């Protein structure tokens, strides 16, 4: 078990399987995944942040940077 910092809220997120295995969350214990955005950049986000992203438009870096930062609960 390892953790990775969410690029949206800056919290530590539990990681189960390999980062490259996007869809392992269906069976496993990973609390986030790596998203490739429309502009080609990649971010690791927890599910809370993914839920906060719009699903009716292309997600860009600006959306990720606009996510609330929860690092002060660390
Ligand atoms: Zn997050």
């Amino acid at each position: 078990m390892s953790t990775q910092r969410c690029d949206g809220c800056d919290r530590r997120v539990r990681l189960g399987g390999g980062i490259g295995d996007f869809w392992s969350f269906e069976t496993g214990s990973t609390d986030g995944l790596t998203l490739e955005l429309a502009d080609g950049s990649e971010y690791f986000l927890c599910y809370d942040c993914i839920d906060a992203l719009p699903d009716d438009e292309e997600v860009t870096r600006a959306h990720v940077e606009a996510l609330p930062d929860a690092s002060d609960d660390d």
Side-chain angles (χ1 to χ4, degrees):
M1 185 66 68
S2 61
T3 61
Q4 182 164 345
R5 204 168 270 285
C6 172
D7 290 324
C9 63
D10 211 31
R11 283 182 301 201
R12 289 192 183 282
V13 177
R14 201 159 43 106
L15 272 191
I19 298 173
D21 188 6
F22 280 21
W23 307 112
S24 62
F25 70 88
E26 289 185 336
T27 57
S29 55
T30 301
D31 290 334
L33 51 87
T34 303
L35 291 184
E36 183 173 345
L37 305 186
D39 64 6
S41 57
E42 290 191 354
Y43 290 93
F44 179 80
L45 296 175
C46 69
Y47 292 143
D48 284 348
C49 288
I50 292 168
D51 282 347
L53 294 171
D55 55 12
D56 57 352
E57 58 183 296
E58 284 191 335
V59 175
T60 68
R61 190 181 322 181
H63 289 106
V64 174
E65 290 175 352
L67 290 166
D69 188 330
S71 61
D72 56 23
D73 72 358
D74 194 347

